[in-house]
């Protein structure tokens, strides 16, 4: 049985018309999100930390205004995009020397001296401006470590007793 070519062509064309479909509706997908900068926090051991200065004698101040110097570090743990950490120190200035931090302990005539151990020792004044009380430290391997030094400082006639001083450290970062 031979089918003439024209009717065959019409059957094929008619079957193609039924295959095409139309979309009922179209829509747009919108996507939103946010990328935040990393964070940085004081290392867990530095959040509420007690720094114990070495015991000194009153006679240690006979030839020097300071005694009992003690080196220590404070660090911040940061995410990989943080490049710099600014450490800001604050506390009550001593009445005997406002550049020093007040002693609330029982030893009269003493205050706390705090300094950044950079290439040279750079005092951090209790009564300074925010810029004078701040130090910027570059991060290395997601950590910023500031080397510090603290000591007893003579501000008057020294008596036996304790030195107690509170210094608050806060950080900002970028």
């Amino acid at each position: 049985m031979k089918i003439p070519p024209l009717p065959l062509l019409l059957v094929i064309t008619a079957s193609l018309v039924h295959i095409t479909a139309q979309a009922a509706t179209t829509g747009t997908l919108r996507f939103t999100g946010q990328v935040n900068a990393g964070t940085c926090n004081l290392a867990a051991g530095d959040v509420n930390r007690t720094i114990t200065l070495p015991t000194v004698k009153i006679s240690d101040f006979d030839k020097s205004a300071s005694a009992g110097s003690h080196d220590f570090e404070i660090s911040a743990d940061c995410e990989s995009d943080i490049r710099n950490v600014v450490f800001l120190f604050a506390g009550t200035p001593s009445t005997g020397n406002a550049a020093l931090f007040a002693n609330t302990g029982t030893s009269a005539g003493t205050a706390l001296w705090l300094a950044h151990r950079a290439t040279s020792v750079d005092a951090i004044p209790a009564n300074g401006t925010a810029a004078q009380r701040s130090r910027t430290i570059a991060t290395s391997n997601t950590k910023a470590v500031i080397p510090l030094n603290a000591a007893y400082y003579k501000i008057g006639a020294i008596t036996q007793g304790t030195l107690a001083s509170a210094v608050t450290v806060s950080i900002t970062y970028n």
Side-chain angles (χ1 to χ4, degrees):
M1 163 167 159
K2 185 169 183 182
I3 301 178
L6 183 58
L8 180 62
L9 184 59
L10 289 174
V11 169
I12 293 173
T13 305
S15 67
L16 290 177
V17 171
H18 294 305
I19 293 177
T20 59
Q22 295 185 0
T25 59
T26 60
T28 302
L29 300 176
R30 289 184 175 78
F31 297 89
T32 63
Q34 184 170 331
V35 176
N36 288 333
T39 61
C40 200
N41 295 295
L42 283 174
D46 289 332
V47 173
N48 290 305
R49 181 174 167 192
T50 299
I51 308 294
T52 303
L53 298 179
T55 301
V56 296
K57 297 178 187 172
I58 294 173
S59 61
D60 291 340
F61 295 94
D62 287 348
K63 295 182 181 172
S64 177
S66 67
S69 179
H70 178 70
D71 292 344
F72 64 101
E73 288 81 31
I74 293 176
S75 61
D77 296 320
C78 306
E79 292 181 16
S80 62
D81 62 324
I82 303 300
R83 300 291 173 246
N84 294 294
V85 177
V86 178
F87 292 83
L88 173 65
F89 300 89
T92 304
S94 171
T95 55
N97 180 340
L100 304 172
F101 292 89
N103 176 14
T104 58
T106 60
S107 174
T110 57
L112 177 73
W113 180 76
L114 182 63
H116 175 207
R117 291 183 291 124
T119 52
S120 63
V121 176
D122 186 18
I124 299 170
N127 67 339
T129 64
Q132 294 169 324
R133 295 179 291 113
S134 298
R135 300 296 182 272
T136 301
I137 304 295
T139 59
S140 176
N141 295 322
T142 69
K143 215 167 193 41
V145 179
I146 181 169
L148 298 167
N149 178 274
Y152 302 84
Y153 203 91
K154 181 178 181 177
I155 57 170
I158 297 177
T159 63
Q160 175 179 313
T162 60
L163 177 123
S165 188
V167 176
T168 302
V169 60
S170 57
I171 62 170
T172 55
Y173 46 87
N174 58 35

